[in-house]
Amino acid sequence: MNGIDLVGPQFAVLIAAGLALVVDAVLPRQRRLIPFVALAGLALSVAWSISWVARDDYQTAFGGTLVLDRYAVFFYFVFAGIAAAVVLASIEWVERAGRGQAEYYALVLASTAGFMFLASSRDLISIFIALELSSIPQYILAGWGKDERSSEAGLKYLLLGAIASAVLLYGMALLYGFTRTTELGGIADAVAAGGDANRSLLILAVALVIAGFGFKMAVVPFQMWVPDVYQGAPTPVAAYLSVGSKGAAFAVVTRLFFEGLGPGVASDDWSMIFAVVAAVSMTFGNVMAIAQTDIKRLLGYSSIAQAGNIMVGLAAISVAGEEFVLGASGVIFFVAAYAFTNLGAFIAVIAISQRIGSDRIADYAGMWKRSPALAGVLALCLVSLTGIPPTAGFWAKLYVFNSAIRADMAWLVIIGVLNSLVSAYYYLGIAKTMFVAQPAEEATFRPPLTLSISLGVAAAGVLALGLIPGPVLSAAHDAAETLALVY
Amino acid sequence: MGAEQAWLLPAVPAGFFILLALFGRYLPRQGDVLGVLAIGTSFVLFFFVLADYLGIGEGTDTVLKSWAWSDIGDFSLRFGIAVDPITIVMLGVVTSVALMVNIFSIGYMKGEARYYWFFAVLQLFAASMLLLVLADNLLLVYVSWELVGVCSFLLIGFYWEKRSATEAAKKAFITTRIGDVGLLIGIILLWREAGTFNIQEIIHAAENGEFSSTYLTVSMLFVFLGAMGKSAQFPFHVWLPDAMEGPTPVSALIHAATMVVAGVYLVARLLPVYEVADHTMIVITLVGLITAVLTGFMAFAQTDIKKVLAYSTVGQLGFMFIALGSGEPAAAMFHLMTHAFFKALLFLGSGSVILATHHNQDMEKMGGLWKKLPVTGTTFLIGSAALAGVVPLAGFWSKDEILNAANTEWGAWALVLTAAAAVMTAFYTTRLFIRTFMGTPRDRHVYDHTEEPGWVMGGPLVFLAFLAVVSGFLVFSGVGSALGFPGGVTEFVYLHHPHEYSINWGLAALSLGISGAGIAIGAWMYWGNSLARSTKLADSYPAAYRLLVNKFYFDEAYQWGIDRVVLGFSYIVSWFDRNVVNNTGVDGSGEATVYGGFVLKFLQTGRLPNYAMGIALGVVGLAFAGIMVRG
């Protein structure tokens, strides 16, 4: 029982996934209940996480392959919230798609459990297994739609994902060969003891690992799948990929590089790689986003740029001490803020495209007059993505850029700020289209209730994190401090 | 409930603001009772805070409570409240006057369009104002400072169908904004040196000499600029008379008793800093003196009942600044309190007259209303006497304190000027009362249709009249001891020094003489129903009279400055912006970026092998670069 208690939050999610399939088989007439079974499982997971916060008795599990610390629990909350929003946003779409409702939710939940395991893994083996647990359901989900584009998206994602996994596995194998251990603490000790011998081999291993996770984060040059898959996949799934998969990759990479290859061990080998990748991703994502006319592709490129922003924080964790905590907590806070913001934007896009049947930005003209609430929330999220107060995105960028300044990477911050300027052009351009341009059609409409709820929660989150960031900032700070603590 | 929970005072009206703004129009009576309930709750809570604070006893000057707002590395922002005697006085003034104004408005605003919205904004104003006085740091002060400014803007322009109302709202907002920019600069300057926004810490830093002398003077003068704008001090005094376009209860609450005294409050809070900043005290005193004398003249020639009161408010605020500049925050806060009560009374009384005469504000059409409006007339008389400084009403005691302060600190010249302003106050107050209530009706039609409004408006008048009579006695040590603050209100406010009130018989006699003289001149000129004496005076000095009627041509001078100087300069800037910044800088870089996107688009082929190749090349590139740098 103790073992199950230690993975309780994941366990609750997996149970709900199984239960969804059972409900489908036993009560075929009650299919409408399935999403609520999924939500109940997520609620139980959150409750279990809260109980760990209350117990404040963090420890390792399963022979040190998993660790239950504040860092992991922070991400449990984030992933459970993301999954709940995606479930709510999917209900309409899945009912219309009409097949395999239970499987859809079960896959979402299974992959969420994978995210949670990723946040708590402290061993290369468990990291890889958790990554595959989260990835394989996503390949299926991306191809869930009936049209060709969705199938193409699913297949592309699967094949490229397989390549990325292979690259990652090769990097892990090299690391193991280098250190004779898969446990992150052991890797750190071995690398430190090994001195400068075989440095090039270590750097090759690091490059392979970054490439493997860079695919999931969608940073340049591993981002090519993003626009095709985001555009082709069902929009709720695209939303899920853009925040869940990215967030989980950042969660695990922060832990892996800090605990295994951290300051004083090998951080000089990778901090510059991260910084350059961050700069290139921000610039590439933003420049490409400007040229887009389809809002889903635009959000896809914008998510590449945002990944670059988060990576600025990763580059900054290469410094020991208080600066490290700044960088890591910046990454954590950014992931949480970005989850609310991007989900809000995607859900608003889902609601609008359900109604107008188009993803072209030009068709958003005058949306303010047709549905003030949707246009308002979308505009709020776009403002937050740009990083303008009083929204969550402002604090996230401020925090991450501040950590980079403290890590003596002012040049990276200058590139970041210039990129924010470029991003304002296309983010606020959408807002301008919605508020200034004349609508082609006057008819007003309201989003369905389930979408309204998830939109309301996302908008409230964006504003709450923007107006009173204090509690979450300090939670992120505490979480970052528990990294690399030995229980 | 203790002083630490004082944050509830603003929180309650803030909650009701949201409720009323969203759902007010659907509620029975459009939610006006809820407005009274909200501010009434704050008023009751105030007594808990007061009792708790007085019960804490000696040794605890300030009750502090703060919350982290954001921590980024070693940069930390905290939002918190501080409760000290100055705050207590302000809390009492704001909650009591706001409650009276809310009740009064039920009668005054009856049947107006957007009735619910009026009450909603009143709640927002009360919340912002209470937050302003509770704030323990300058950033929070600034936030609430702007919030009360927005409320003022919304309420001055409440009748937005009227062009003059929107113009006045704009003028008030822009004029105070000029001062606010100064305040913001001042706050940033202080923060830059002290590394904190916290008021207590800034005071400590200043007292320990952590600022260089000139730097501190400049920063504090910038802060004072904000206070001048908000409190409508010369040369920013022009907005307040125009602000009378708002509904009269608003004038009573915002433009007489609370918001306009925010400047006085801010300077009083920071007075320990001003005392160590060279040359600032004399600036404060001079601004107060100029304002008090100037607006005294301006009030002579006004015939609009509210505008006379508006100029008088500006003048009385000038008195408070004289006290502050003389190093007597206790006298300033004491006058702030008594003035809030009797000026709110006078404004609400004028509102009662205006409503009774069916929206007539011109004194030339009034006269003889005493018989028709017994309640309003009696309470208005009490308010006028308090303003004129008749013993033993509230205004006498606080004005006496200010005369004393000016005399002690600066000597005879300041005393003479202050006294002259006080004579003028007594004079135009007498004129105001006589022309409105005495004599015979000058407009039969108006007179015949005048009737006393009900007790929902009379009640607040009586309550405020009661305060206008008794609040002055709080200065006496005996009264203070009986109520729990030994030494009277001035010692209570004056934290650090024993400061018991002792009457200076010479000055008291002078003060009595001042109000007597002013009233006598006023009565001599206007008693009966004849303007013969004043007309003759105006005819003998036509140039001086024109100067007064046109309020020294301040508005015209400002208009000229805006048209010729500001707009001329902005034309040049806009040319530069259009041609250089926009066409070359912005469009150029924008087009370059768009072109970049267009070119890069061709990388995105959609073909799987190309993508896989991208990953492979990426790995090789990263590894190669890493090895080049490190290996």
Side-chain angles (χ1 to χ4, degrees), chain A residues 133-152:
Chain A
L133 173 60
S134 70
S135 296
I136 292 167
Q138 289 172 13
Y139 302 144
I140 308 172
L141 287 171
W144 199 261
K146 284 178 186 161
D147 54 340
E148 270 179 28
R149 308 200 73 162
S150 180
S151 308
E152 183 192 331

Side-chain angles (χ1 to χ4, degrees), chain A residues 363-378:
Chain A
D363 292 333
Y364 280 56
M367 198 49 68
W368 168 245
K369 289 192 182 130
R370 303 190 58 192
S371 182
L374 280 176
V377 172
L378 183 52

Side-chain angles (χ1 to χ4, degrees), chain A residues 193-248:
Chain A
D196 268 346
N198 293 326
R199 220 3 98 150
S200 306
L201 206 60
L202 181 69
I203 292 172
L204 181 61
V206 164
L208 288 164
V209 169
I210 291 178
F213 286 115
F215 177 79
K216 290 282 164 197
M217 296 171 179
V219 288
V220 178
F222 315 107
Q223 87 300 346
M224 290 218 177
W225 57 277
V226 167
D228 293 359
V229 172
Y230 278 24
Q231 196 183 12
T235 315
V237 175
Y240 189 53
L241 297 184
S242 77
V243 293
S245 165
K246 202 183 289 280

Side-chain angles (χ1 to χ4, degrees), chain A residues 156 159-160 163 203-204 207-208 211 221-222 224 227-228 269 287-288 290-291 297 301 326 395 398-399 402 406 467 469-470, chain B residues 68-74 593-594 596-598 600-601 603-604 606 608 611-612 614-615 618-619 622-623 626-627 630-631:
Chain A
K156 270 186 179 165
L159 290 172
L160 293 170
I163 294 173
I203 292 172
L204 181 61
L208 288 164
F222 315 107
M224 290 218 177
D228 293 359
D269 295 327
V287 169
M288 288 298 287
I290 283 185
R297 277 184 94 86
Y301 280 112
L326 267 184
W395 292 103
L398 182 65
Y399 214 115
N402 182 49
R406 298 281 295 266
L467 290 173
Chain B
W69 185 54
S70 113
D71 290 290
I72 292 190
D74 47 8
T593 315
V594 171
F598 175 74
L600 286 174
K601 233 177 168 172
L603 280 178
Q604 195 73 36
L608 210 47
Y611 291 3
I615 295 179
V619 175
L622 287 189
I627 292 167
R630 283 285 298 172

